[in-house]
Amino acid sequence: MTSLLWDQHLCLPLQTGTDVAPLTRYQRDGGAFVSVNAGYSPHSFNDTLALLRHYRLAVEGHPHLELATTVGDVSAITTSGRIAVVFDLEDSRPLDDDLANLAVLAELGVRTLLPTYNHANRAGSGCLDTTDGGLTAWGRSIIEEMNAVGIVPDGSHCSARTGLDICETSTGPVIYSHSCMREVWEHPRNISDDQARACAATGGVIGITGVGIFLGPNTPTLEAMTRHLEYAVDLVGIDHVGISSDFSFDYADFIDELTRNPHMFDDGYTRWGRIQWMTPETLLTLGEHLSQRGWASTDIHAVLGGNFFRVAQRVWRT
């Protein structure tokens, strides 16, 4: 059985002029879906608009990639063996404090957004903050408007309280697009059992990542990822677990960011040396790996893509 591969978050270089061709490393029988980051906390609305316009034009000009506007598009694109592309944002700063910009971003293909990136902003607290104030009134307004325009709220990089508040505020599914399980590996970017349960209660999905420092002591292996997947499935059920590589095609840019802005991260990002990511080629073998461990084909289908597809069916506007 061939399952759709739905990768809920990955990163290209955040520069206009970036080549999108590396996304074809996800090409496979059964098709693939990728959500490409188009901005985070250092970016303004205009910065993100410029990135989105470039990425969209580049994808439109590539024979193996196609922009997906609707869930129906995802099905059509992936059934043909191509790669469906949408976008996400890792922070609410690119909104420029204007809720009306959410509708603009949705029209340009942004399908998920997380309010805070590691540290507090006007919307709430981040996972690296020592004080957790949760989601602010402004943050709640963002979630409410996201519900209205068809963008999925995302708790990754947010503080525990902020994540719980997102789930309490949202009228639709909430996801953790790229977060592993804290009970399996203690890291401030990983989420607690309570966060996972609250996410599942909204009908949402936890996307286990392939980032070495979130899986274990810099161990981006299928075995390490499977430990987190199986823990999450046992905790919240098969319907609420997915995958999200968080693969960094902008590896050099990310290392430069760590060097230039160390205050944005903690030593959990550096104590095991340079961060290692699971490659797309390894991620493509996850279904076979799970099958060899005795997973049922229906469960593999759910985790590889079916669960995130269901969330999109509920939230995306047609």
Side-chain angles (χ1 to χ4, degrees):
M1 173 181 171
T2 300
S3 300
L4 165 67
L5 183 80
W6 184 294
D7 188 337
Q8 186 53 60
H9 172 78
L10 56 81
C11 301
L12 289 170
L14 292 167
Q15 301 162 8
T16 56
T18 289
D19 185 7
V20 299
L23 296 177
T24 60
R25 290 172 65 182
Y26 288 90
Q27 195 158 13
R28 60 192 282 279
D29 291 340
F33 168 101
V34 296
S35 180
V36 177
N37 177 244
Y40 75 122
S41 53
H43 293 96
S44 67
F45 181 63
N46 284 336
D47 293 334
T48 290
L49 286 184
L51 287 167
L52 285 167
R53 286 166 179 156
H54 166 71
Y55 289 156
R56 289 176 63 86
L57 283 172
V59 168
E60 287 172 347
H62 198 285
H64 301 300
L65 308 172
E66 187 170 341
L67 298 168
T69 300
T70 67
V71 175
D73 291 341
V74 174
S75 297
I77 294 164
T78 57
T79 298
S80 71
R82 290 172 295 153
I83 299 169
V85 181
V86 301
F87 306 100
D88 61 70
L89 289 179
E90 291 188 289
D91 201 68
S92 55
R93 189 188 168 210
L95 299 181
D96 280 1
D97 293 335
D98 186 347
L99 292 177
N101 286 336
L102 281 164
V104 177
L105 294 169
E107 183 68 22
L108 291 172
V110 173
R111 294 291 175 260
T112 64
L113 183 150
L114 51 96
T116 66
Y117 181 87
N118 289 352
H119 293 291
N121 60 19
R122 187 184 172 196
S125 298
C127 64
L128 301 186
D129 289 327
T130 55
T131 300
D132 187 353
L135 197 65
T136 66
W138 170 245
R140 291 178 188 274
S141 296
I142 291 173
I143 302 304
E144 290 165 359
E145 186 63 15
M146 288 168 66
N147 290 157
V149 302
I151 296 177
V152 183
D154 183 354
S156 292
H157 287 279
C158 299
S159 69
R161 182 71 255 166
T162 297
L164 293 171
D165 289 345
I166 293 170
C167 292
E168 179 183 274
T169 303
S170 181
T171 57
V174 172
I175 66 169
Y176 282 88
S177 65
H178 55 298
S179 293
C180 292
M181 304 304 296
R182 189 169 295 184
E183 286 296 317
V184 178
W185 177 248
E186 179 68 31
H187 192 284
R189 265 284 285 112
N190 291 346
I191 66 171
S192 68
D193 287 2
D194 285 345
Q195 287 172 271
R197 291 190 191 99
C199 171
T202 70
V205 177
I206 300 129
I208 301 299
T209 84
V211 181
I213 60 170
F214 305 151
L215 291 168
N218 225 354
T219 52
T221 65
L222 292 174
E223 292 76 15
M225 177 179 263
T226 301
R227 284 195 294 273
H228 287 265
L229 287 170
E230 292 181 342
Y231 181 88
V233 168
D234 288 344
L235 180 71
V236 298
I238 193 68
D239 293 334
H240 303 290
V241 182
I243 58 170
S244 179
S245 70
D246 197 9
F247 186 73
S248 181
F249 288 103
D250 60 342
Y251 177 86
D253 291 346
F254 186 80
I255 296 302
D256 182 57
E257 187 73 8
L258 279 172
T259 303
R260 288 187 295 109
N261 294 305
H263 62 282
M264 292 178 60
F265 307 91
D266 74 351
D267 69 350
Y269 283 78
T270 56
R271 74 177 69 161
W272 297 283
R274 287 196 166 191
I275 300 175
Q276 302 298 312
W277 279 267
M278 181 179 291
T279 66
E281 292 75 16
T282 298
L283 188 69
L284 294 185
T285 68
L286 177 60
E288 179 183 354
H289 175 77
L290 296 177
S291 180
Q292 291 172 353
R293 286 186 59 83
W295 279 48
S297 61
T298 53
D299 291 350
I300 294 171
H301 175 79
V303 167
L304 287 189
N307 291 334
F308 274 128
F309 185 86
R310 183 193 68 247
V311 169
Q313 285 179 307
R314 285 190 58 185
V315 178
W316 292 12
R317 297 291 177 263
T318 58

